[in-house]
Amino acid sequence: MQLTITQSKQLKTKPDPEKLGFGTLFTDHMFSMDYNPDEGWHHPRIEPYAPFTMDPSTMVLHYGQGVFEGLKAYRTADGHIQLFRPQANFKRMNYSCQKLCIPAFDEALALDALKQLLRHEKEWVPNAPGTSLYIRPTIVATDPYLGVRASHTYRFFIILSPVGAYYPEGFNPIKIMVTREHVRAVRGGLGDTKTLGNYAASLLAGEMAHQAGYTQVLWLDGVEQKFVEEVGSMNILFVIDNTLVTPMLNGSILPGITRDSALALGRLWKMPVSERKISIDEVFEAHRAGMLTEIFGSGTAAVISPVGTLKYEEQVITVGQGQAGPVAQKLFDAIMDIQYGKAEDPMGWVEPVM
Ligand code: COI
């Protein structure tokens, strides 16, 4: 398939790389392609970043049939641009598509299109420490129709956003709060897919957590409300008795790529690693016994994010004296060093762009 390029007539002013937040600025161009049953995925193109025109009856606006991904492009010290495990993102996106009845796309074509888009937007990959170009591939259902069924037409687009840290706290520990009032997902549902509704489902509890002075919600399983699942914008990991412990993938937790990378590095370093069910009571018991030394989240946007305070009902605990612990720090440094080309890439995770 031939990818066409339409150049934007007016280029935006690039932001100060030292002052980047998360997800507010977008580059000059985007990638798009369309799907219909006759042509399949077709008309791949790089075009000016611009608002869409959508019929008010467009299906994604009513029934949320859409999926997305999050990954980043990094600038290395010698000016190259590289991606981190992009194949895993497109693979997971196709898994999400299958769960949402969206036709699969060609992962190699998507990666090639992304690389071409990045080469086109190379000036937008920031070079200040800890900054990157966040990449948001998305697919939405585009039939103008109000009946409930899978759409027959779709649009796939990739937008790019220069970013700094996801949390205002940066690498400083955040405060998270367990909710028992709400659940994010249940097994057999869509919890393990990157779909729009999962994030909508997290908002009310997130608002309540903010009002109580917490950054994020820690979700428990949707059935017994007993076992730890994830934070919503990241997976969750614990260091208990010197073992790196994280909830096993059970169908309702997002299979995070940074999660997988952290576990792989832990294993590479010969650290005991355990993916298993972990109850919230066990976390608090481990804290009481002095065994819980660290909690941190992992995610593309968040990278590795230490948790300093955890609240569950009336109990509030401080983990690691509210400081980032050694395992979080080591993983953060190792992952960032691979992503920015400062260290060897022992697992072959880096994908060069230019
Ligand atoms: C990511 O880490 O890339 C995510 O998609 C999480 C969030 C920003 C929605």
Side-chain angles (χ1 to χ4, degrees), residues 158-203:
I158 304 179
I159 56 174
L160 307 174
S161 174
V163 298
Y166 182 67
Y167 293 117
E169 289 94 332
F171 189 63
N172 293 320
I174 60 167
K175 296 169 72 177
I176 60 175
M177 183 178 142
V178 176
T179 177
R180 290 200 68 192
E181 206 174 322
H182 305 97
V183 297
R184 175 184 168 273
V186 289
R187 237 157 297 148
L190 295 174
D192 63 348
T193 61
K194 254 183 127 53
T195 187
L196 320 184
N198 283 341
Y199 297 81
S202 74
L203 298 178

Side-chain angles (χ1 to χ4, degrees), residues 120-182:
H120 203 77
E121 302 289 72
K122 58 180 185 289
E123 307 298 337
W124 281 93
V125 184
N127 58 7
T131 64
S132 57
L133 190 63
Y134 186 76
I135 301 163
R136 176 53 64 84
T138 307
I139 301 178
V140 292
T142 50
D143 278 7
Y145 179 59
L146 290 187
V148 178
R149 59 152 171 78
S151 179
H152 298 143
T153 61
Y154 297 89
R155 180 158 179 180
F156 182 135
F157 57 90
I158 304 179
I159 56 174
L160 307 174
S161 174
V163 298
Y166 182 67
Y167 293 117
E169 289 94 332
F171 189 63
N172 293 320
I174 60 167
K175 296 169 72 177
I176 60 175
M177 183 178 142
V178 176
T179 177
R180 290 200 68 192
E181 206 174 322
H182 305 97

Side-chain angles (χ1 to χ4, degrees), residues 6 24 55 139 182 213 216-217 300 343:
T6 308
T24 54
D55 193 287
I139 301 178
H182 305 97
Q216 290 265 320
V217 171
T300 297

Side-chain angles (χ1 to χ4, degrees), residues 339-353:
Q339 290 172 336
Y340 288 89
K342 287 190 201 158
E344 287 287 295
D345 172 22
M347 319 297 271
W349 286 334
V350 165
E351 179 70 25
V353 176

